[in-house]
Amino acid sequence: MLQRTIAEPTEVVGIGLHKGDSVRLRIEPLDADSGIIFYRSELGRSIPLSPEAVIDTRMATVIGTPEGYISTIEHFLSALYAHGIDNLRVVLEGNEMPIMDGSAVSFCLLIQEAGIRSLERPKPFLKIKRPVEVRDGDKFARLEPSDRIEFDFTIDFPHPAIGRQRLYFDFTLANYMEEIARARTFGFARDIQYLQSQNLALGASLQNAIGLDEHKVLNPEGLRYPDEFVRHKILDAMGDMMVTGHNLLGRYTAFAGSHDLNHKLTLKLLADAQNYEIVALEQIRSPHYERCFA
């Protein structure tokens, strides 16, 4: 399998979740071994993607510096992960990605509209060699060796519409499009009201998130999946793992995971070279991985 970029530049305009401003997003192809590079066009500043570039994980994954950052990149990165994109220039006018409908499906369609082009270099995978785990009380996120690309996530919210949900997801692009891509982010009305009083979540609405009051889902159309909440958590986790710049070969498991735990997990993973190795698909000798991105 070869490295991937997009075939043609393409762009879309949407609303930023926190500032509520109109945001123009343009994606452009890059050569092999370029990686994923974000670019703030109005600042003339590039931000190469890496765990070291992450500066905030409280409400979203944010990369850059306080003087020039880009927020809420996880849904977009999840779509890149699913499509196996290794090299891309992501041009933004503004400091956050457009939220679109709160899921990753719009970004998937953007990538598919641009087309995918293979490059004449082997695709590198980040293969997990030994277990790595981070914890916060009973919450944890873990990576461990596996001969598949697996995500196993459990959430437990004391809310009648959520409760305890667990999903095991065996990754392929086809499965992702069917089971994960359309799962939306969610928030509680009481929290949104407070955030908006602090000039945050100004772009949040029932058109780009699942809203909940104390008892029920507020969206008139209801849920897209009965367990949409845990499916979105897997969507987020895939995006946060893509901050490494690579597709991972291994098993990700989490209980009540978060952007913060995911970030700490990638840092701990890469801190010791014995935890992983960068391999080409030919070294894996498994037809499963070829099918994953078909």
Side-chain angles (χ1 to χ4, degrees), residues 9-205:
T10 190
E11 63 181 51
V12 69
V13 176
I15 298 297
L17 178 65
H18 289 299
K19 299 303 180 185
D21 295 332
S22 177
V23 180
R24 183 179 300 277
L25 165 67
R26 178 178 171 85
I27 56 175
E28 301 172 348
L30 285 179
D31 294 335
D33 300 323
S34 297
I36 308 298
I37 299 175
F38 287 80
Y39 181 72
R40 285 281 301 274
S41 59
E42 80 282 18
L43 299 178
R45 178 173 296 181
S46 293
I47 308 172
L49 184 66
S50 73
E52 290 75 26
V54 175
I55 61 169
D56 196 353
T57 55
R58 286 171 295 177
M59 303 198 48
T61 298
V62 184
I63 58 172
T65 67
E67 295 73 31
Y69 62 88
I70 297 174
S71 176
T72 323
I73 62 173
E74 59 272 12
H75 301 169
F76 175 75
L77 291 181
S78 186
L80 294 191
Y81 190 107
H83 288 82
I85 302 296
D86 307 282
N87 307 285
L88 195 69
R89 189 172 188 249
V90 186
V91 182
L92 283 167
E93 296 176 4
N95 61 14
E96 60 182 328
M97 298 289 290
I99 189 63
M100 310 310 287
D101 74 341
S103 75
V105 71
S106 294
F107 298 125
C108 294
L109 295 175
L110 188 70
I111 293 165
Q112 292 166 15
E113 175 188 326
I116 295 174
R117 178 164 60 92
S118 294
L119 302 166
E120 295 304 314
R121 295 292 296 275
K123 177 179 175 65
F125 289 83
L126 202 162
K127 181 181 180 180
I128 308 303
K129 292 179 62 179
R130 63 183 187 182
V132 179
E133 181 179 283
V134 292
R135 301 191 72 96
D136 178 10
D138 62 345
K139 303 175 184 178
F140 71 86
R142 178 191 308 128
L143 288 167
E144 53 195 323
S146 173
D147 61 359
R148 307 183 76 83
I149 304 174
E150 303 170 287
F151 291 84
D152 187 343
F153 211 116
T154 303
I155 60 174
D156 195 357
F157 283 84
H159 188 284
I162 307 178
R164 190 178 183 94
Q165 298 181 2
R166 179 184 178 186
L167 182 68
Y168 167 78
F169 177 63
D170 188 10
F171 170 77
T172 68
L173 174 58
N175 289 347
Y176 178 86
M177 293 300 297
E178 181 177 347
E179 301 175 21
I180 302 296
R182 296 177 63 247
R184 296 161 293 177
T185 191
F186 57 95
F188 299 93
R190 63 178 183 272
D191 297 331
I192 296 296
Q193 291 166 1
Y194 169 75
L195 290 170
Q196 290 182 341
S197 74
Q198 303 297 307
N199 290 319
L200 294 170
L202 299 177
S205 73

Side-chain angles (χ1 to χ4, degrees), residues 129-282:
K129 292 179 62 179
R130 63 183 187 182
V132 179
E133 181 179 283
V134 292
R135 301 191 72 96
D136 178 10
D138 62 345
K139 303 175 184 178
F140 71 86
R142 178 191 308 128
L143 288 167
E144 53 195 323
S146 173
D147 61 359
R148 307 183 76 83
I149 304 174
E150 303 170 287
F151 291 84
D152 187 343
F153 211 116
T154 303
I155 60 174
D156 195 357
F157 283 84
H159 188 284
I162 307 178
R164 190 178 183 94
Q165 298 181 2
R166 179 184 178 186
L167 182 68
Y168 167 78
F169 177 63
D170 188 10
F171 170 77
T172 68
L173 174 58
N175 289 347
Y176 178 86
M177 293 300 297
E178 181 177 347
E179 301 175 21
I180 302 296
R182 296 177 63 247
R184 296 161 293 177
T185 191
F186 57 95
F188 299 93
R190 63 178 183 272
D191 297 331
I192 296 296
Q193 291 166 1
Y194 169 75
L195 290 170
Q196 290 182 341
S197 74
Q198 303 297 307
N199 290 319
L200 294 170
L202 299 177
S205 73
L206 296 181
Q207 281 68 56
N208 55 38
I210 303 169
L212 302 110
D213 63 14
E214 299 301 320
H215 308 287
K216 63 185 184 300
V217 171
L218 298 174
N219 303 64
E221 75 280 9
L223 298 175
R224 294 177 176 176
Y225 311 90
D227 56 352
E228 188 168 356
F229 305 98
V230 72
R231 290 176 189 267
H232 185 79
K233 287 293 190 179
I234 288 179
L235 186 157
D236 276 348
M238 293 176 68
D240 286 341
M241 293 304 100
M242 189 64 194
V243 173
T244 63
H246 299 289
N247 288 100
L248 272 59
L249 301 182
R251 181 184 179 97
Y252 169 99
T253 307
F255 173 75
S258 63
H259 296 306
D260 184 57
L261 280 175
N262 289 337
H263 174 51
K264 290 174 179 174
L265 183 62
T266 58
L267 288 174
K268 187 172 182 179
L269 171 69
L270 298 178
D272 188 337
Q274 294 190 47
N275 292 335
Y276 67 93
E277 63 178 328
I278 303 297
V279 297
L281 188 65
E282 290 74 13

